[in-house]
Amino acid sequence: GIYGIEVSIQKDRVTISLDTSGDALHRRGYRTGVLENGAPLKETLAASMLLLSQWTPDRPLLDPFCGSGTILLEAALMAHKIAPGLRRSFAAEDWPLICDRQDWERLRTEAEKRVIATPPGLQIFGADVDRLAVEMTYQHLQAAGLENAVQLSVSDIHRLPPPPGEYGCVVTNPPYGERLGGAATANEGIGGLMAQLQENDWSLFALSGDATFEEQVGRMSTKRRKLYNGKLPCQFFQYFGATPRRERRRDVPGNSDMG
């Protein structure tokens, strides 16, 4: 096997370590390209946004600025219970002194058994004004074997029809900073879309580095959380809508609703 060695020096301390991953851990193995004028989210950041939001696979999800589809892909992986590293390889798989290959295969088999082929009632929607972005998103979905999990459309947010369903979540990374211009127009479009979705109790979760985001959307967020998109400090704006009531199961003693 190939052993990657990394050396870091901090003041008078030198650390030598072996790279067991190979490709960076945030890479899932489905990204086949990057838009020329885009700034794609790392997969780990997109997953974190979904985990910080109120979204669960039984609620509709929309990303109106899908770009190359990272948020949509991570949501589909979660809904199908596909482990993040299931579709990629790791450098340490060829290191018999670390772990026998049979152990790797056993763990992959266990992870495969947990996969849900067709999550019931899954509704994931994605849109972008850039046709190339939507085409690339579809290519990434195909690479992950999830092309049937997401409904895509080419649309400007001002013309995007509200998706069906109640208690849904808009989770998105609208344009700002070094990305394409038009951040103010995009944010205003988010405000208009949420005004239409509000009657169906949708929630909004948006990562933005734009200090005027709330002003342009037209509402103050319920909560904000500081996150970093690479080295760029951003705010994760959270607008909480109502959540669906879940009936407590009565067939299992001591059961509690963890949804």
Side-chain angles (χ1 to χ4, degrees):
I2 298 176
Y3 296 83
I5 299 176
E6 295 187 354
V7 180
S8 65
I9 302 175
Q10 186 175 13
K11 295 183 179 180
D12 60 349
R13 183 182 294 272
V14 177
T15 302
I16 301 175
S17 56
L18 290 174
D19 178 9
T20 60
S21 302
D23 287 338
L25 283 175
H26 71 83
R27 295 180 180 172
R28 316 297 203 205
Y30 61 72
R31 192 189 293 279
T32 59
V34 177
L35 295 168
E36 291 184 3
N37 56 1
L41 290 173
K42 284 187 176 180
E43 294 85 337
T44 43
L45 179 55
S48 297
M49 291 169 61
L50 289 162
L51 292 172
L52 288 170
S53 76
Q54 296 178 331
W55 182 75
T56 52
D58 59 342
R59 303 176 64 180
L61 175 72
L62 167 67
D63 181 1
F65 303 99
C66 69
S68 57
T70 310
I71 293 174
L72 302 175
L73 262 295
E74 292 301 312
L77 289 173
M78 291 179 182
H80 287 78
K81 295 189 181 298
I82 299 175
L86 191 57
R87 302 289 189 255
R88 57 161 288 169
S89 60
F90 299 88
E93 291 183 45
D94 295 323
W95 299 0
L97 295 177
I98 298 295
C99 187
D100 191 87
R101 179 168 285 277
Q102 291 182 349
D103 292 327
W104 286 95
E105 293 175 356
R106 175 179 55 81
L107 292 171
R108 287 188 184 279
T109 299
E110 291 176 0
E112 288 282 5
K113 290 179 179 178
R114 290 192 288 269
V115 173
I116 300 175
T118 308
L122 185 64
Q123 297 184 81
I124 301 179
F125 305 92
D128 202 286
V129 69
D130 185 351
R131 180 175 295 276
L132 292 178
V134 175
E135 291 175 354
M136 182 171 290
T137 293
Y138 186 74
Q139 292 171 8
H140 291 165
L141 286 164
Q142 282 186 312
L146 296 169
E147 63 271 21
N148 295 323
V150 179
Q151 301 178 50
L152 297 172
S153 63
V154 179
S155 178
D156 181 273
I157 190 169
H158 296 277
R159 299 178 178 85
L160 181 65
E166 296 180 324
Y167 307 111
C169 294
V170 174
V171 182
T172 192
N173 176 221
Y176 61 87
E178 297 179 359
R179 296 177 66 194
L180 284 174
T185 301
N187 294 340
E188 291 168 1
I190 292 175
L193 178 64
M194 290 310 298
Q196 298 179 68
L197 291 171
Q198 192 170 15
E199 63 183 41
N200 288 329
D201 293 312
W202 277 59
S203 303
L204 166 65
F205 304 90
L207 180 72
S208 178
D210 188 343
T212 62
F213 178 85
E214 292 169 308
E215 177 183 344
Q216 292 165 356
V217 168
R219 286 191 295 165
M220 296 296 293
S221 59
T222 310
K223 185 178 180 181
R224 291 193 297 174
R225 187 183 186 116
K226 188 174 183 179
L227 296 177
Y228 280 85
N229 185 3
K231 295 182 179 180
L232 183 64
C234 298
Q235 292 290 335
F236 188 50
F237 296 95
Q238 302 169 73
Y239 295 80
F240 298 117
T243 56
R245 296 183 62 183
R246 304 178 191 274
E247 294 183 2
R248 178 184 292 272
R249 288 178 54 190
R250 300 180 183 276
D251 57 336
V252 181
N255 179 75
S256 60
D257 184 0
M258 298 300 290

